[in-house]
């Protein structure tokens, strides 16, 4: 399965991630550190904690755990002594007695978690207090009103639709902001009430609560709340009255709709030559502060709809003066973005607060200019929030994505809350950290490696928000201790166990346990290592790894680093004679990797200068949270070709694939391009498809559209659909992704109907030639 | 003990007109018996009335709008009442005298004024004397009010002299009478008419008239008076106001007669008359008549003056006079009588002349060149002519304010000479012919000392009281508006003084000399005009700026930094738990809602509303749906405003929404549990909303600001403990707690935001701290403690209504310039001062007064004039930028006696009051008290030492003009602000109120007016409702009586424990004292007494421009103690009685002399 790189089909191929949703760069692990470092590609696992799986077993009782400090959950790999009613933990080899209620266990009567195919099971123990209703999810909308009328109307209609889709029991709140933050009190009957906060001042959470009369003491407002003791039905502190601001959707739908009707663009004047004053930062901290009044454990999302850059207060990314452009990558490199660090720090703190509270920040940014995703990235990513970047609130990328998050059923994203991930591993394995939408809980343990990648220094992570597609990349370190070497009988298998506690969309707490095992191999045995290599995962892990490094390390030269790694990898695992490039071959498990790397080098992840920092941040967030399959598409788009002569088929991602009588469908993850060859375009323009005798043509035209819609329907955020014709201006979306095997100066004859790319970039062929040459150098 | 004055004049008169001498024999002070009943120069009331009237919208809605006294010929009960009061010099007299008089007079007057008079005169003449004599004996007049003899009369009687004196008057009167008749007829008639209430009418009419005549006659008036009358054409002027000037005189006489006719009346009158002279009116008379010289002149003249004016005004005046003025006048009046004669004689000639000036504002002035102050009074004289009863001072005869009922016409200049203005509390019509109306600006002395040494020798203060937008009397000519077009008003190029009638054009008009700095300027070409033979520009009389003391220039662009601001009103309402539960919120909302109608009309008028508790709630009314949006500012430490626009909406367009909102607010916050108040943050937020335009911020506050910026702590409790441990620092509690509010206020002022605070509380709110804000921004504090939802909303509404509808200006800058030789030392009042020379007034209104003190930096020539010019650049409520320029030019003198003669008691006392108020928070109380008493002593000592050297040392000699200074000083030392045990807030409020208080309200504040109301109807016969003031002494309070005491703000109704059930039923609708409600809402029942009472109260309201806060006081209650605390003449633990105080003062002076 690992080789399956037919990238196109959504779900046609067998699940590449297997039942466990775990993919590793190396499925055979070198036994020691030195060997591991020789492997070049880090030992890492990509893991989707709660991806949906039809075969998932749900057990209605609490899990059985190994004695501390291990704490692993009983799994199919445990050795069970049915007679003695004991089990041996495969990770730590401790013996555990079965508790009395497992007394009936026998070879013929095995609990679900011990079935061999149940490496992933989900426990759904009945809640301790069965009478308490599950905590209600909270949706707090934070709406930018520094918009032009048209955009505001788009937002309003999107909001109205969303309100209609909200589950009745969900609690809803509304904050609008411009120069100031307006917190709408929905539960006040006499008159619409709005609390205002100044946009220029950062307000600590306590102060917000105090000012809203929500502080625990409630002293200031003298709010002698007569509320009954004990947790309230809606899951808030009894002493507070946050339900003035957060109401069940069914109760406040009318209020919200009338509020939206009244909503106007920000009235504060914008001087000529200035940007509107927009206090995104304060608005978000007010939202976070308000949610702070919810008791912990309440799943809550802040859904921020932002239409422009933050220009005042904390989180400001650019001054209001229009003569100052929003920072570019160049500015960031040169340290010429005066607001950047401050803003990042602000959002970092916001992220900490949100994680602390267990709440999520979702960001819907729609603007032609940047809105500050680069700065907000940290808050979004740490809390496991969703992010969508579009150019207008009227654009389908926003509209459809926004709708998706409230949809139910099959289409549902399965938005869950309050996830906590714990990882247990066999000894000799340490965890460096995780790249992905989570936050380290700083729970240090014996399993923590000295070096840290991403969110590390812990064996436990918080995922305030997670969904079915959420994917984390765990980096491992192999550091056998002295003692383990002495133990003599090295166990050939290593075990990893992922424990994910979360609150599912229905509000129930679940614990998903995934236990996987892999083989230890002797480092010197390249053969075995090669067999266990997953080049897709490796490409993605490398991409994630370098994007992290690019962010963290100044002066990091990603291209060089990639080239060097690839060369090292090839010289280690390639099959060649020294200094004879022609003799160079690669095992099929490695064969596509150079192409991945070639495309990665040209991708938006490495070549950031074509993009704004916002876009880069956006791409990275998604790269880090998407599944391997999707991430590979981001790195190396898939191309399908449609023509009369053949059924739809994958085509080479090469300019040579362009032909006048073909339709190409490019899936670059963020955008989907339907490219009509010249002839096709002409035919279409002449309307042949409308003529009954040319039904086939109509079908040909329709096929890529149907496929594109299939992809779009499955993807979040919704990709941008570009329909273009050869030589049209939009064709650049395709050309940019193709291997420039034919350029304006390549001198080759252009096939009639073909195309050339105006670039000086090297083509894949040249790249590979160099690679071969360098790999075989002694 | 008594000493007689030097004069040979009848012994009776102890006081010369000018001085009020108290004889002090050894320890016992011999009081001058001859004090005529104190006659209040009632002028002030009239003023207040006028003021109130003037304002387009009567301040108090609740009261039925009263017809303006002056104008309305129709009888106005109130007026009548007032008139009566005025007459009543002494309480007793009033009570006693009035009735009798009333009867006759009334009858006569109504039917046909003339006839009565004529008839009266004769009788009066006879009667008066008789009565007097009789009165004399009966002294106890007090007790038996009705008894013909008035106290004054009585006094006179004892003296003996009076009789003789009077005799003459009669004759005089008689003679006058004829002339008078025409007049009298008219005046009286008018009076009667005005009086409406026939009963009243009678009295008032008679009284006014009566007094004067009586006076004259007593004094010698006869001979002199006549001459004077006849002689003085000038006098006519005063009268003239009323067409026949001469007649007035005559009228006066006639009036006298009536009085005379009525025995009782006369006596009182007599007393009164004297008082009148003092007050001003008498002076006028004098002045009017040159002839009056003889002596009496003054006296007689006074009466006249009084009369004339009254006639012209008619009933109205009378009423006015009574109320406030009386006090002022009284001092003089009473004592004056007897004394005057004597005194006059001594010093005299000069005196004589003087007198005219004083009083005669109108007539006298012109005629006499003598500027001297009303010589009569002022003069050195000492005259302590008569001795009163030997050993004791007769408390009934010591100087007291006397109401005067008449309206006088006051010409500000005559014959190129400044006239001495009538008392601020008297009722006068100012005629601006060069100097400004004294309502707008008046000086503590009407002659300016040439040197600083002379000033310091006198110990008197040199200060101007400027009330730049003061309400005019309705009969006064409006201030003229002058538009110089684009070039703007002509100004001196050196000192920037504005063109005025005292600038001298020379060189055929090509150049003019600035009267302030002496610089010679070129006349702009298009302003050039030839000079006439008299050296004046030929067009001087056509150009208001060249012939009027006060003009308003249209400001040009260069006087604006931006377009004139619109009138914007922002209301802030406390909705904290306490405010809601006490009903304060509802009261405020309803008051605002009702007041919306009174806001200036026009598209530029903006209104905003916000509420606050521990957060601030704004309301956005500009919404598509009907519902307003509440915008809450929760951050009370760093305040901001919610919207750029829409917080303040156009009144015309959003009136209904505003009303709806105001109606909803109380119910919205009905169950508010927030006890905290973020007052500081709220005003800051309101300010921010007003910042773009400036405007008025009206705050309704109910509890101590406890949270947010500018929060305060409950210092009162802390303060108490401090006091007990030692009160050295006690006064610090009257200082603002910190500088936060001050800093804020300065910022407010910078952006032209004027803050008024309505404190509707039942607890301590630290007024000392919060009053800083209005104090700095030109606003004021209104205080309703303890707030009561039943009785206070009426006052709250009326205060608010008056606040927003009274004449006012915005974004004002004021500067006072004066001639070289003086310089401005300090401004004090409610304003913000950023540069030394100007004061900024975000808001200035007709009630605000600013005190400006001066010091010498050079000498004046003896015959020079010193000019003062106050320029107020302001924006009207309709958005016009104007410069009001107020000019006053006064003669300079080298004579100390002239200074004393021209001293202006009202102004000086207002000055003392303000100085005392400002030092209260700064110094220990004992020190403040000592200061004011020393000030009084020093002045009297200076006078005694340098101007009354001939007197025997056993006499306490008071300069006539300052006769009442000891009484007021005593009252001041006992006033709320200076009470040891007063509540902090009460005292702070007092201090803050005094800071901007006008002169005419200053005296009632410390020496309130008290009248009896149980006998209103029975007394009515004798005249105006407010005529009979009772001295503030518990001796005069009877258990079966019901009394009303008012100080311009509070009205205390004291119900004696034995009050008649019938009366109680009539007034309160309950039959026993025990059944009285604790909170008073005065209702009008269908009986005469109740109607009368309501009329009286309404009249007072108009006079004071204040809706009285009525409270019931019962003996034995705390409320009763409160009432008694106003009895300033009583001896109290730790404080002297009035008599004792006089003895004390005398002793101190003696000590200094030796």
């Amino acid at each position: 399965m690992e080789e399956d790189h037919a990238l196109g089909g959504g779900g046609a191929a067998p699940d590449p991630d297997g039942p466990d949703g775990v993919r590793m760069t190396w499925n055979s692990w070198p036994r020691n550190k030195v060997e591991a470092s020789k492997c070049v590609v880090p030992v890492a696992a990509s893991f989707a904690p709660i991806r949906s799986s039809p075969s998932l077993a749900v057990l209605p009782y609490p899990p059985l755990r190994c004695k501390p400090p291990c704490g692993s959950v009983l799994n199919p790999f445990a050795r069970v002594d049915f007679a003695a009613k004991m089990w041996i933990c495969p990770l730590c080899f401790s013996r555990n007695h079965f508790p009395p209620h497992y007394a009936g266990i026998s070879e013929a009567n095995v609990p679900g978690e011990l079935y061999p195919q149940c490496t992933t099971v989900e426990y759904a123990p009945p809640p301790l207090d069965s009478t308490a209703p599950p905590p209600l999810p909270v949706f707090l909308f934070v709406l930018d009103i520094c918009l032009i009328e048209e955009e505001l109307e788009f937002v309003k209609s999107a909001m109205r639709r969303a309100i209609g889709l909200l589950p009745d029991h969900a609690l809803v709140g509304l904050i609008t902001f411009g120069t100031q933050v307006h917190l709408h009190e929905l539960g006040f009957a006499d008159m619409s009430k709005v609390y205002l906060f100044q946009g220029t001042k950062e307000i600590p959470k306590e102060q917000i609560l105090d000012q809203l009369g929500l502080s625990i003491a409630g002293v200031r407002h003298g709010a002698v709340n007569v509320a009954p003791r004990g947790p309230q039905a809606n899951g808030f502190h009894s002493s507070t009255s946050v339900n003035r601001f957060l109401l069940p959707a069914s109760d406040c739908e009318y209020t919200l709709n009338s509020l939206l009707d009244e909503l106007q663009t920000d009235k504060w004047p914008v001087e000529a030559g200035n940007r509107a004053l927009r206090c995104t930062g304060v608005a978000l901290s007010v939202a976070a502060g308000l949610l702070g009044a919810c008791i912990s454990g309440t799943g809550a999302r802040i859904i921020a709809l932002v239409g422009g850059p933050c220009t005042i207060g904390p989180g400001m990314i650019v001054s209001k003066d229009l003569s100052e452009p929003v920072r570019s990558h160049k500015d960031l490199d040169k340290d010429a973005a005066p607001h950047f660090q401050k803003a990042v720090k602000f959002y970092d703190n916001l992220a900490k607060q949100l994680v602390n509270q267990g709440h999520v920040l979702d960001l819907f940014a729609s603007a032609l200019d940047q809105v500050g995703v680069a700065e907000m990235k940290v808050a979004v990513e740490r809390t496991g929030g969703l992010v969508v970047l579009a150019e207008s609130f009227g654009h389908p990328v926003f509209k459809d994505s926004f709708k998706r998050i409230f949809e139910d059923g099959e289409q549902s994203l399965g938005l869950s809350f309050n996830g906590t991930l714990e990882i247990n591993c066999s000894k000799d394995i340490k965890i460096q950290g995780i790249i992905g939408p989570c936050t380290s809980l700083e729970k240090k343990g014996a399993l923590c490696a000295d070096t840290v990648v991403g969110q590390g220094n812990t064996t436990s992570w918080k995922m305030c928000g997670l969904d079915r597609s959420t994917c984390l990349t765990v980096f491992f370190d192999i550091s056998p201790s002295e003692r383990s070497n002495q133990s003599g009988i090295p166990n050939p298998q290593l075990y990893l166990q992922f424990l994910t506690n979360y609150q599912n969309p229905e509000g129930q707490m679940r614990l998903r346990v995934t236990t996987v095992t892999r083989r230890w191999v002797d480092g010197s045995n390249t053969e075995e290592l090669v067999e266990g290599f997953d080049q897709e995962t490796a490409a993605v892990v490398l991409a994630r790894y370098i994007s992290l490094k690019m962010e963290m390390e100044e002066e990091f030269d990603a291209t060089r680093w990639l080239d060097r790694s690839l060369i090292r990898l090839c010289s280690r695992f390639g099959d060649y004679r020294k200094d004879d490039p022609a003799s160079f071959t690669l095992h099929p498990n490695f064969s596509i990797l150079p192409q991945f790397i070639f495309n990665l080098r040209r991708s938006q992840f490495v070549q950031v200068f074509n993009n704004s920092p916002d876009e880069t941040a956006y791409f990275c967030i998604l790269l880090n949270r998407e599944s391997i399959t999707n991430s590979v598409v981001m790195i190396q788009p898939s191309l399908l070709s449609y023509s009369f002569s053949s059924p739809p088929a994958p085509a080479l991602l090469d300019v040579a694939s362009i032909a006048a009588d073909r339709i190409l469908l490019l899936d670059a993850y963020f955008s989907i391009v339907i490219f009509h060859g010249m002839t096709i375009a002409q035919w279409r323009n002449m309307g042949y498809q409308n003529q009954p005798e040319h039904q086939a043509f109509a079908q040909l035209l329709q096929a890529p559209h149907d496929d594109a819609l299939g992809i779009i329907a499955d993807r979040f955020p919704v990709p941008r659909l570009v329909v273009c014709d050869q030589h049209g201006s939009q064709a650049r979306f395709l050309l940019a992704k193709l291997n420039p095997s034919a350029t304006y100066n390549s001198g080759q004859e252009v096939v009639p109907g073909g195309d050339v790319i105006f670039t000086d970039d090297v083509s894949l062929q040249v790249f590979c030639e160099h690679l071969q040459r360098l790999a075989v150098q002694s | 003990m008594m000493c007689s004055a030097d004069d040979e004049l009848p012994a009776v008169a102890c006081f010369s007109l000018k001085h009020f001498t108290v004889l002090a024999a050894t320890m016992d002070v011999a009081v001058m018996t001859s004090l005529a009943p104190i006659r209040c120069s009632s002028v002030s009331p009239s003023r207040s009335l006028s003021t109130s009237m003037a304002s387009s919208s009567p301040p108090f809605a609740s009261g039925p709008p009263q017809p303006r006294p002056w104008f309305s010929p129709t009888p106005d009960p109130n007026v009548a009442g007032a008139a009566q009061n005025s007459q009543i010099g002494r309480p007793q007299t009033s009570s006693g005298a009035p009735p009798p008089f009333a009867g006759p007079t009334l009858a006569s007057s109504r039917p046909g004024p003339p006839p009565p008079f004529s008839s009266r005169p004769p009788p009066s003449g006879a009667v008066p004397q008789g009565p007097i004599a009789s009165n004399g004996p009966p002294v106890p007049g007090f007790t038996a009010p009705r008894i013909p003899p008035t106290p004054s009369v009585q006094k006179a009687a004892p003296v003996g002299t009076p009789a003789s004196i009077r005799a003459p008057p009669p004759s005089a009167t008689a003679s006058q009478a004829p002339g008078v008749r025409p007049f009298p007829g008219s005046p009286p008639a008018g009076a009667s008419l005005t009086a409406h209430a026939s009963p009243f009418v009678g009295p008032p009419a008679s009284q006014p008239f009566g007094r004067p005549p009586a006076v004259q006659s007593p004094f010698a008036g006869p001979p002199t008076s006549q001459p004077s009358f006849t002689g003085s054409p000038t006098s006519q002027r005063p009268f003239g106001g009323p067409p026949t000037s001469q007649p007035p005189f005559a009228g006066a006489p006639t009036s006298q007669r009536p009085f005379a006719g009525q025995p009782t009346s006369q006596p009182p009158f007599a007393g009164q008359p004297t008082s009148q002279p003092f007050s001003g009116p008498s002076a006028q008379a004098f002045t009017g008549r040159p002839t009056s010289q003889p002596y009496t002149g003054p006296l007689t003249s006074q009466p006249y003056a009084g009369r004339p004016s009254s006639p012209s005004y008619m009933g109205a005046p009378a009423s006015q006079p009574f109320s406030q003025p009386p006090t002022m006048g009284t001092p003089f009046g009473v004592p004056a009588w007897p004394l005057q004669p004597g005194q006059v004689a001594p010093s005299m000639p000069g005196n004589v002349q003087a007198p005219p000036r004083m009083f005669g504002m109108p007539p006298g002035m012109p005629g006499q060149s003598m500027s001297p102050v009303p010589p009569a009074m002022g003069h050195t004289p000492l005259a302590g002519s008569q001795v009163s009863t030997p050993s004791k001072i007769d408390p009934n005869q010591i100087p007291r304010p006397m109401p005067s009922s008449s309206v006088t016409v006051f010409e500000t200049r005559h014959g190129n000479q400044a006239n001495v203005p009538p008392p601020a509390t008297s009722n006068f019509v100012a005629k601006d012919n060069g100097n400004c109306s004294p309502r707008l600006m008046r000086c503590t002395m009407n002659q300016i000392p040439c040197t600083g040494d002379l000033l310091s020798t006198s110990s008197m203060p040199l200060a101007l009281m400027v009330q730049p937008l003061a309400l005019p009397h309705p009969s006064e000519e409006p201030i003229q508006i002058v538009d110089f077009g684009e070039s703007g008003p002509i100004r001196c190029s050196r000192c920037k003084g504005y063109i005025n009638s005292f600038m001298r054009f020379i060189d055929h008009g090509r150049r003019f000399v600035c009267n302030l700095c002496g610089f010679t300027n070129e006349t702009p070409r298009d302003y050039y005009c030839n000079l006439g033979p008299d050296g004046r520009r030929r067009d001087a009389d056509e150009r208001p700026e060249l012939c009027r003391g006060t003009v308003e220039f249209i400001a040009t662009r260069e006087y604006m930094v931006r377009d004139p601001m619109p009138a914007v009103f922002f209301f802030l309402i406390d909705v904290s738990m306490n405010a809601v539960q006490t009903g304060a919120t509802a009261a405020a909302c309803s008051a605002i809602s009702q007041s919306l109608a009174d806001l200036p009309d026009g598209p530029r008028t903006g209104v905003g509303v916000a509420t606050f508790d521990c957060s601030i709630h704004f309301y956005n009314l500009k919404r598509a749906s009907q519902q307003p949006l509440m915008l809450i500012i929760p951050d009370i430490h760093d305040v901001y405003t919610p919207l750029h626009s829409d917080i303040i909406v156009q009144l015309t367009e959003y009136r209904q929404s505003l009303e709806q909102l105001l109606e909803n607010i109380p119910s919205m916050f009905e169950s508010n549990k927030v006890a905290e108040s973020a007052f500081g943050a709220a005003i800051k937020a309101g300010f921010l909303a007003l910042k773009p335009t400036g405007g008025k911020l009206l705050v309704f506050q109910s509890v101590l600001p406890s949270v947010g910026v500018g929060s305060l702590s409950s210092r009162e409790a802390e303060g108490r403990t401090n006091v007990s441990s030692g009160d050295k620092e006690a006064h610090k509690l009257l200082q603002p707690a910190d500088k936060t509010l001050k800093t804020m206020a300065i910022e407010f002022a910078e952006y032209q935001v004027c803050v008024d605070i309505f404190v509707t509380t039942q607890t301590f709110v630290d007024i000392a701290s919060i009053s800083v804000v209005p104090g700095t921004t030109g606003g004021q504090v209104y205080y309703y403690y303890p707030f009561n939802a039943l009785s206070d909303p009426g006052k709250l509404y009326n205060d608010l209504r008056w606040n927003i509808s009274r004449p006012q200006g915005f974004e004002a800058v004021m500067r006072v310039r004066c001639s070289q030789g003086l310089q401005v030392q300090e401004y004090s009042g409610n304003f913000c001062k950023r540069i030394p020379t100007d004061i900024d007034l975000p808001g200035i209104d007709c009630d605000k007064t600013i005190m400006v003190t001066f010091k010498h930096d050079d000498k004046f020539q003896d015959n020079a004039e010193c000019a003062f010019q106050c320029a107020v650049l302001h924006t009207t409520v309709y958005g016009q930028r104007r410069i009001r320029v107020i000019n006053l030019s006064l003669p300079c003198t080298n004579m100390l006696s002239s200074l004393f003669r021209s001293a202006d008691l009202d102004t000086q006392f207002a000055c003392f009051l303000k100085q005392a108020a400002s030092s209260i928070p700064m110094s220990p109380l004992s020190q403040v008290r000592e200061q004011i008493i020393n000030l009084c002593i020093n002045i009297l000592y200076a006078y005694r030492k340098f101007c009354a050297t001939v007197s025997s040392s056993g006499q306490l000699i008071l300069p006539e003009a300052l006769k009442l200074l000891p009484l007021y000083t005593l009252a001041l030392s006992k006033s709320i602000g200076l009470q040891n045990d007063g509540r902090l807030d009460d005292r702070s409020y007092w201090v803050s109120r005094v800071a901007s208080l006008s002169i005419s309200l200053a005296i009632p504040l410390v020496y309130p007016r008290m009248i009896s109301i149980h006998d209103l109807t029975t007394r009515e016969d004798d005249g105006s409702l407010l005529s009979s003031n009772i001295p503030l002494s518990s001796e005069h309070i009877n258990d079966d009586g019901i009394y009303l005491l008012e100080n311009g703000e509070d009205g205390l109704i004291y119900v004696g424990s034995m009050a008649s059930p019938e009366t109680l039923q009539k007034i309160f609708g309950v039959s026993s004292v025990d059944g009285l409600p604790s909170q008073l809402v005065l209702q009008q029942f269908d009986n005469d007494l109740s109607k009368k009472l309501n009329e009286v109260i309404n009249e007072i309201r108009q006079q004071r421009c204040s809706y009285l806060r009525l409270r019931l006081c019962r003996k034995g209650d705390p409320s009763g103690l409160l009432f008694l605390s106003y009895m300033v003449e009583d001896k109290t633990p730790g404080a002297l009685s009035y008599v004792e105080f006089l003895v004390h003062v005398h002793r101190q002076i003696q000590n200094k002399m030796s």
Side-chain angles (χ1 to χ4, degrees), chain A residues 180 192 194 196 201 220 262, chain B residues 614 625 630 632 640-642:
Chain A
Q180 294 174 333
S192 304
V194 177
L196 288 106
K201 190 175 134 187
R220 193 179 140 208
E262 289 273 346
Chain B
C614 67
S625 70
M630 184 193 288
I632 301 169
Y640 39 93
T641 157

Side-chain angles (χ1 to χ4, degrees), chain A residues 401-502:
Chain A
S401 305
F402 191 64
K403 199 171 79 178
R404 281 288 302 279
I405 64 176
F406 303 103
E407 272 173 350
D408 246 349
E410 272 307 295
Q411 292 295 322
S412 157
L413 297 177
L415 296 177
S416 303
F417 296 103
N418 275 318
T420 328
L421 171 70
E422 281 175 66
I423 302 179
N424 287 319
C425 0
S426 297
K427 59 184 179 179
D428 300 352
I429 302 174
K430 306 270 189 239
I431 301 164
Q432 288 179 310
I434 295 183
I435 293 178
C438 66
T439 305
S440 160
L441 287 177
E442 303 286 336
K443 218 166 149 189
K444 289 205 183 183
L447 295 175
C448 299
D450 298 335
T451 51
V452 173
V453 175
Q455 295 296 301
N457 271 332
T458 183
T459 57
S460 181
W461 292 261
K462 179 81 181 176
M463 291 181 287
C464 302
L466 67 170
D467 58 61
R468 287 174 191 169
S469 63
T470 302
C471 186
L472 305 172
T473 311
V474 190
F475 287 81
F476 295 99
D477 192 12
I478 295 155
S479 57
S481 60
E482 295 297 317
R483 253 197 333 188
S484 60
N485 279 344
Q486 295 166 356
S487 66
I489 335 150
N491 190 313
Q493 291 297 108
L494 64 94
Y495 299 94
L496 304 173
Q497 188 175 60
F498 303 90
L499 305 169
T500 312
N501 235 313
Y502 70 102

Side-chain angles (χ1 to χ4, degrees), chain B residues 354-374:
Chain B
R357 305 164 192 164
M358 300 221 29
F359 303 101
M361 339 168 126
M365 301 305 286
Q368 300 180 345
S369 53
M370 349 262 319
S371 41
V373 177

Side-chain angles (χ1 to χ4, degrees), chain B residues 101 120-129 131 173 206 210 213-214 254-267 269:
Chain B
F101 294 92
R120 293 176 186 177
S124 69
V127 179
Q129 295 179 353
T173 52
S206 65
T254 51
S255 63
Q256 293 178 353
R257 292 178 181 181
F259 292 123
Q262 304 164 353
T264 48
S265 66
Q266 279 195 348
F269 290 16

Side-chain angles (χ1 to χ4, degrees), chain B residues 195-267:
Chain B
H196 324 330
S198 43
F200 296 89
V201 177
S206 65
Q207 291 181 352
F209 297 93
R211 297 177 183 175
V215 176
Q216 293 179 352
S217 54
F219 297 30
T224 53
S225 68
Q226 287 187 351
S228 64
F229 289 110
T230 55
S232 61
T234 50
S235 63
Q236 293 182 353
R237 292 185 180 178
F239 299 88
T244 54
S245 60
Q246 291 182 352
F249 287 23
T254 51
S255 63
Q256 293 178 353
R257 292 178 181 181
F259 292 123
Q262 304 164 353
T264 48
S265 66
Q266 279 195 348

Side-chain angles (χ1 to χ4, degrees), chain A residues 751-762:
Chain A
V751 184
D755 223 330
V756 295
I757 295 174
F758 295 93
T759 180
D760 288 329
D761 288 356
V762 295

